[in-house]
Amino acid sequence: MKIHFIDGTVIPSPAANAIQVFYACQGMQDAGLDVTLFVPENPAATPETIARVYGEAPRFGIVFLRTRRGLARRLPLSLALLLRYRAAAKADPDVRYTRNRTIAAALTGKRIPLVYEAHQFPAAVGHAERIVAPAR
């Protein structure tokens, strides 16, 4: 199963969110899924720095999106990620995965299933109605 994990986390980073995203991708990849992580560009991101920060090299693909160039630099980060993700994704995944509620709301209702990992329930009712749906 091919999964696109779309997140606004800067990789590599010692921040808790970045560590969780990294190891979630490692775990899914180790479980036999084909994971590609889409995150904002980071000039400091090299295979060596990623391995140094996390103690191991990623076993999943990482695509660094140019979110601060051209039209994207004028948009909020979530929207810039979406804009660049759609241009960078070479093929549709089986599932899209995100921890970002704005990205989740924008990708909900498309023909590709979406997993939204919620760490707090969306405050805006419009977001909640679009994101939360019964399992099929």
Side-chain angles (χ1 to χ4, degrees), residues 6-27:
I6 308 148
D7 201 84
T9 300
V10 174
I11 300 288
S13 169
N17 185 49
I19 293 168
Q20 197 283 330
V21 167
F22 180 87
Y23 284 107
C25 290
Q26 287 288 65

Side-chain angles (χ1 to χ4, degrees), residues 23-84:
Y23 284 107
C25 290
Q26 287 288 65
M28 287 188 271
Q29 188 75 31
D30 290 348
L33 304 173
D34 179 12
V35 179
T36 303
L37 175 63
F38 292 82
V39 291
E41 67 184 331
N42 178 4
T46 65
E48 295 78 22
T49 59
I50 292 170
R52 188 172 58 250
V53 169
Y54 301 113
E56 61 183 312
R59 294 181 290 279
F60 55 91
I62 302 177
V63 175
F64 292 97
L65 303 173
R66 299 175 135 199
T67 56
R68 296 294 168 217
R69 299 195 182 161
L71 172 64
R73 76 176 184 275
R74 295 191 172 115
L75 299 172
L77 181 59
S78 297
L79 297 178
L81 278 168
L82 281 169
L83 178 71
R84 296 299 188 195

